[in-house]
């Protein structure tokens, strides 16, 4: 690919002659300063990309661990709906803080102002409602799976996202991506094999059903949100995130009233919260922000590697925290899942 690109440049007259022509007549000091500035810019971009990638990996790997860790005697002492509300509120606050900085440096423009039209805002309740159900299921699935198993099953959202991309956005999938989907199913199943029990799979049917529903909800919400964002590409992402999180807060408030109203009124909004609960809320909020930053400052390949490494880190940490048994089946399955995730991304780039 690189050879063909260079060959085409040579046939077109190439960039080399043009570059030499552009440098002709310039003093050597100017060229040196330009090269130093270019190298400094590249180092700065690499450093920023590395920091964001590391942050996403750590946040993703610790997400499931913090949820499990926040339990007391196998139950959540705090209200799950209030925790979700706080996650949305924190993300909303972070988006506003980012906008305030932009307004201070660049001023208020048509693309970064909060005021908007009904036609633009009316589309945000749909993904907000989907994320609400998906986030609630995220807590209850741990009644059937452990933290490493959750990280494995969570990769099913790649399949749902790919299929919904094809159906909703009419985007074709490459043969490599379809092969990656098959590998992903095989890897998830292999990682869940249980040789120490009469049951073939460690995760019961309820856990698999929750994982599939979560994958469908996450995939549809992600595809729908992407369609909304790309419909108006010049619109500042923090403004779009703000409105999405506002509706997320509204739906979670409704969930609190329906599910935990009596408990909140009698015991208080923050009843049962611990330091781990606060860390979990912060983790969920920062994870959402980190994904958008990785896609802005890095690329999809980096996000894929972060997901794969996070999956393995979760398993290793769970060995020490929860006595998780790192079986051969889990190791082989997680390896297959990592390969399939990479192939899915590689197939996307080669379409």
């Amino acid at each position: 690919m690189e050879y063909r690109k260079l060959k085409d440049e040579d046939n077109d007259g190439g960039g080399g002659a043009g570059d030499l022509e552009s440098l002709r007549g310039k003093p050597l000091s100017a060229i040196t300063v330009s090269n130093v500035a270019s190298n400094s810019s590249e180092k700065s971009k690499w450093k920023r990309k590395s920091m964001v990638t590391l942050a996403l990996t750590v946040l993703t790997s610790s997400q499931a661990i913090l949820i499990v860790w926040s339990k007391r005697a196998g139950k959540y002492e705090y209200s799950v709906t209030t925790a979700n509300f706080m996650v949305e509120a924190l993300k909303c606050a972070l988006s506003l803080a980012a906008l305030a900085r932009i307004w201070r440096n660049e001023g208020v423009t048509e693309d970064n102002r909060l005021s908007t039209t009904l036609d633009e805002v009316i589309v945000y309740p749909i993904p907000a409602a989907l994320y609400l159900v998906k986030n609630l299921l995220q807590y209850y699935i741990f009644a059937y799976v452990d933290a490493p198993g959750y990280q494995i099953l969570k990769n099913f959202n790649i399949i749902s996202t790919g299929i919904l991309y094809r159906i909703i956005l009419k985007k074709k999938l490459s043969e490599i991506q379809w092969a990656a989907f098959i590998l992903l199913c095989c890897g998830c199943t292999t990682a869940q094999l249980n040789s120490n029990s009469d049951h073939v799979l460690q995760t019961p049917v309820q856990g698999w059903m929750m994982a599939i529903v979560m994958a469908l909800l996450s995939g549809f919400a992600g595809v729908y949100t992407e369609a909304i964002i790309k419909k108006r590409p010049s619109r500042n992402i923090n403004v779009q995130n703000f409105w999405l999180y506002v509706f997320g807060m509204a739906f979670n408030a409704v969930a609190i009233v329906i599910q935990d109203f009596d408990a909140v009124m009698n015991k208080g909004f923050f009843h049962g919260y611990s330091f781990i609960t606060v860390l979990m809320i912060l983790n969920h909020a920062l994870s959402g922000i980190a994904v958008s930053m990785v896609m802005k400052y890095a690329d999809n390949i980096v996000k894929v590697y972060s997901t794969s490494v996070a999956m393995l880190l979760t398993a290793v940490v769970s060995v020490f925290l929860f006595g998780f048994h790192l079986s051969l089946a889990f190791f082989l399955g997680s390896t297959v899942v990592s390969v399939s995730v990479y192939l899915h991304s590689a197939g996307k780039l080669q379409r």
Side-chain angles (χ1 to χ4, degrees):
M1 184 67 73
E2 294 295 328
Y3 169 75
R4 187 180 299 170
K5 183 177 178 182
L6 292 172
K7 187 176 180 181
D8 290 342
E9 288 180 354
D10 289 340
N11 291 338
D12 293 336
D19 292 340
L20 291 174
E21 197 66 37
S22 64
L23 294 176
R24 191 172 296 165
K26 290 186 178 181
L28 182 61
S29 59
I31 300 174
T32 304
V33 169
S34 176
N35 289 338
V36 170
S38 177
N39 291 336
S40 177
S41 177
E42 288 298 322
K43 288 182 179 179
S44 177
K45 289 180 180 179
W46 181 86
K47 184 178 180 180
R48 181 170 54 185
K49 182 188 294 187
S50 300
M51 290 178 63
V52 172
T53 304
L54 178 62
L56 179 61
T57 303
V58 173
L59 289 168
T60 304
S61 62
S62 57
Q63 197 170 80
I65 292 172
L66 286 172
I67 293 178
V68 175
W69 213 357
S70 67
K71 287 184 176 183
R72 292 292 182 272
K75 295 190 299 183
Y76 300 110
E77 292 185 353
Y78 58 90
S79 168
V80 170
T81 54
T82 61
N84 270 337
F85 179 88
M86 291 306 300
V87 170
E88 296 299 315
L90 183 55
K91 289 193 290 186
C92 192
L94 290 172
S95 298
L96 275 178
L99 279 174
R101 184 178 179 183
I102 293 173
W103 293 336
R104 185 169 59 252
N105 295 334
E106 303 174 9
V108 179
T109 65
E110 183 70 19
D111 291 327
N112 66 27
R113 61 183 176 85
L114 281 180
S115 56
T116 183
T117 62
L118 180 62
D119 290 337
E120 181 182 3
V121 175
I122 201 67
V123 296
Y124 289 107
I126 297 176
L130 293 173
Y131 279 126
L132 166 65
V133 181
K134 177 255 179 186
N135 289 335
L136 288 175
L137 284 176
Q138 182 177 242
Y139 288 91
Y140 297 121
I141 194 174
F142 285 103
Y144 306 101
V145 302
D146 50 26
Y150 169 78
Q151 290 285 34
I152 288 284
L153 295 175
K154 195 171 71 169
N155 286 286
F156 274 128
N157 65 9
I158 297 176
I159 297 178
S160 64
T161 301
I163 294 174
L164 290 168
Y165 258 115
R166 183 72 181 92
I167 297 173
I168 298 176
L169 299 183
K170 308 298 181 184
K171 292 187 177 181
K172 294 183 178 180
L173 301 174
S174 67
E175 293 180 358
I176 295 178
Q177 286 179 300
W178 286 115
F181 288 160
I182 297 173
L183 274 178
L184 183 62
C185 291
C186 294
C188 288
T189 305
T190 302
Q192 292 294 308
L193 291 177
N194 188 358
S195 59
N196 300 321
S197 173
D198 294 335
H199 299 286
V200 178
L201 301 177
Q202 293 182 9
T203 302
V205 176
Q206 297 94 321
W208 282 92
M209 293 302 297
M210 281 190 178
I212 293 172
V213 172
M214 282 179 56
L216 289 172
L217 291 173
S218 178
F220 186 77
V223 172
Y224 191 87
T225 303
E226 181 178 342
I228 293 172
I229 292 174
K230 289 185 176 179
K231 186 177 181 180
R232 189 176 173 182
S234 62
R235 192 70 155 138
N236 189 283
I237 186 63
N238 292 296
V239 174
Q240 294 173 315
N241 282 342
F242 170 81
W243 285 110
L244 178 62
Y245 301 149
V246 163
F247 282 105
M249 291 171 61
F251 281 118
N252 276 282
V254 173
I256 292 173
V257 172
I258 294 174
Q259 184 173 328
D260 296 319
F261 180 77
D262 291 336
V264 170
M265 292 299 294
N266 295 329
K267 300 179 181 179
F269 191 91
F270 298 105
H271 174 76
Y273 277 50
S274 64
F275 178 70
I276 298 299
T277 310
V278 174
L279 281 181
M280 181 196 66
I281 292 171
L282 181 62
N283 175 281
H284 276 68
L286 292 179
S287 293
I289 303 297
V291 169
S292 60
M293 290 180 67
V294 164
M295 297 308 294
K296 181 176 181 180
Y297 297 124
D299 50 39
N300 198 55
I301 290 290
V302 173
K303 182 175 180 291
V304 163
Y305 276 121
S306 296
T307 303
S308 301
V309 173
M311 181 175 59
L312 297 176
L313 278 178
T314 301
V316 173
V317 174
S318 295
V319 171
F320 299 99
L321 291 181
F322 310 117
F324 174 72
H325 177 59
L326 196 61
S327 64
L328 179 61
F330 183 88
F331 178 77
L332 293 176
S334 60
T335 303
V336 173
V337 169
S338 300
V339 172
S340 69
V341 171
Y342 171 76
L343 286 177
H344 172 77
S345 181
K348 180 184 291 186
L349 296 178
Q350 294 177 12
R351 277 186 306 189

